[in-house]
Amino acid sequence: MILTGPAIAAARAAGQITIEPFDPGRLSPNAYDWTLGDTLRVCDSDLDAAVPTPYAEITIPASGLVLEPDVLYLGITHERSGSETYAQFLNGDRTIGALGIWVHVSAPLGHQGHAIHWTLEIRAARPVLVYPRMTFGKLVFLHCLGTPASYQRYGLKYTATTGIDISRLYEELAGGVT
């Protein structure tokens, strides 16, 4: 089941959900509107799953930054979110999609127990100007059935993520860089 906006606010007030910073004006009927952080990692060379992704890190100026097609951008949510009680689902929204921006298509599930600033995969269909802290998507909280299973207890590779994180698939591939 998906929590409604008022249920998200109540769960946050009860300490069951973390959203920092929190703005009650960003609650919608079934989600919280999250915003783009102020940093991007630009990955514009060929990629190899067996080695760490090369990137340049840039700060998005207040005047905005043009995202170019054929470039992979790794961004970050301004908000840190999570819950030991609920799973999360993070997506772009219709307004971003209508600008030709695909955001976070590949990994929208946030496990119970993983409170993070989300690393975002961002692609642009056409050149488009974006700004730090602009609304970029929707965060949904999901009621989980069964015994809670906190992500932090599993010691998985992204457990200690604190900022933008590149793919770490190379850690799993035979012959990959470790």
Side-chain angles (χ1 to χ4, degrees), residues 58-170:
I58 58 173
T59 299
I60 305 170
S63 58
L65 178 79
V66 175
L67 301 181
E68 298 289 344
D70 299 321
V71 176
L72 170 62
Y73 298 92
L74 297 178
I76 193 163
T77 58
H78 174 63
E79 296 81 7
R80 179 178 168 272
S81 64
S83 175
E84 287 288 342
T85 306
Y86 303 100
Q88 304 169 80
F89 199 80
L90 183 128
N91 273 321
D93 67 7
R94 189 219 165 304
T95 56
I96 293 301
L99 289 172
I101 299 172
W102 293 283
V103 60
H104 214 67
V105 175
S106 67
L109 179 63
H111 298 285
Q112 284 177 285
H114 201 41
I116 57 169
H117 290 270
W118 290 68
T119 294
L120 309 167
E121 305 96 21
I122 304 169
R123 299 289 301 239
R126 306 207 16 99
V128 58
L129 191 59
V130 298
Y131 304 88
R133 314 273 169 89
M134 68 184 276
T135 299
F136 227 68
K138 304 265 185 215
L139 179 64
V140 173
F141 288 89
L142 306 163
H143 177 75
C144 300
L145 298 175
T147 305
S150 176
Y151 188 86
Q152 298 302 335
R153 293 189 204 130
Y154 284 89
L156 301 171
K157 66 182 162 229
Y158 297 108
T159 299
T161 298
T162 58
I164 301 171
D165 207 352
I166 60 171
S167 169
R168 295 191 3 223
L169 184 59
Y170 59 87

